[in-house]
Amino acid sequence: MAAPKLVIRKGMFLIQGKVRACCSVQAIVAPEVRAVLNEHFMAEALFKRSLYSGTWPAGALAIPPALAGPVSAFLKNDACPEIAVKTILAGQLHQGANVWEMMAFEFISKIAFDNFAALVQMIGEMGTDVVYAGNGVAITNIEQFDADTKAEIEALTQPAELAA
């Protein structure tokens, strides 16, 4: 399965007699993943401004210093869109009031895509056994894990002269 990709297009366009800074984003995924997304996850929210407007979560994409003010203003603005699986797959266009708003939309789209990529990874794990071993280690190939464990136990139980 190919990794998902986010296609970002930016430009200045004449819209209703006014030049606007526009940014379009669209996620590209393998057809089999798209089928699962279409069937079960189209309404899943990938970015909700209400979750980010108060504080910035640890581990989220760091806001570049030049965008700190514009992103903060964008998150407080009603023009800040929410991004769902449906919209990121179909392609979402934002007409910004200025170039900074366009850049802020691009930034939040990248956060939404990171969330989308996590969802796609989960879909790839569906139908398989995943064993969580603690400390962030997930084991997805149980048979290989069992074989490795058995080999390690055998290596530890053999006398030192036989192991060498």
Side-chain angles (χ1 to χ4, degrees):
M1 174 174 66
K5 295 173 181 61
L6 183 66
V7 178
I8 303 169
R9 294 177 188 94
K10 298 177 272 191
M12 301 297 288
F13 298 100
L14 183 63
I15 299 172
Q16 296 178 341
K18 188 172 184 181
V19 176
R20 298 218 180 244
C22 296
C23 183
S24 170
V25 296
Q26 184 174 17
I28 309 296
V29 293
E32 61 273 10
V33 174
R34 188 178 185 104
V36 173
L37 289 167
N38 285 337
E39 186 174 349
H40 302 290
F41 301 104
M42 290 303 273
E44 288 295 321
L46 299 171
F47 181 87
K48 294 181 77 153
R49 71 185 180 111
S50 60
L51 297 177
Y52 292 90
S53 60
T55 60
W56 201 250
L61 192 60
I63 301 173
L67 283 181
V71 167
S72 177
F74 190 59
L75 291 173
K76 293 174 185 167
N77 188 338
D78 287 341
C80 179
E82 294 188 349
I83 302 173
V85 169
K86 180 179 182 177
T87 56
I88 204 166
L89 283 174
Q92 189 161 350
L93 172 71
H94 179 75
Q95 299 175 25
N98 55 47
V99 72
W100 294 104
E101 193 173 292
M102 175 186 67
M103 291 166 54
F105 174 74
E106 177 186 7
F107 181 75
I108 68 157
S109 297
K110 290 176 182 176
I111 294 168
F113 180 75
D114 287 346
N115 295 337
F116 178 78
L119 182 62
V120 169
Q121 180 181 355
M122 183 275 310
I123 289 170
E125 294 173 350
M126 290 173 68
T128 63
D129 290 338
V130 176
V131 175
Y132 182 69
N135 296 323
V137 178
I139 303 161
T140 56
N141 187 337
I142 304 301
E143 292 81 18
Q144 184 63 46
F145 176 75
D146 288 343
D148 290 347
T149 303
K150 184 178 178 183
E152 288 173 8
I153 291 171
E154 288 174 358
L156 291 173
T157 57
Q158 289 181 357
E161 58 276 355
L162 292 177

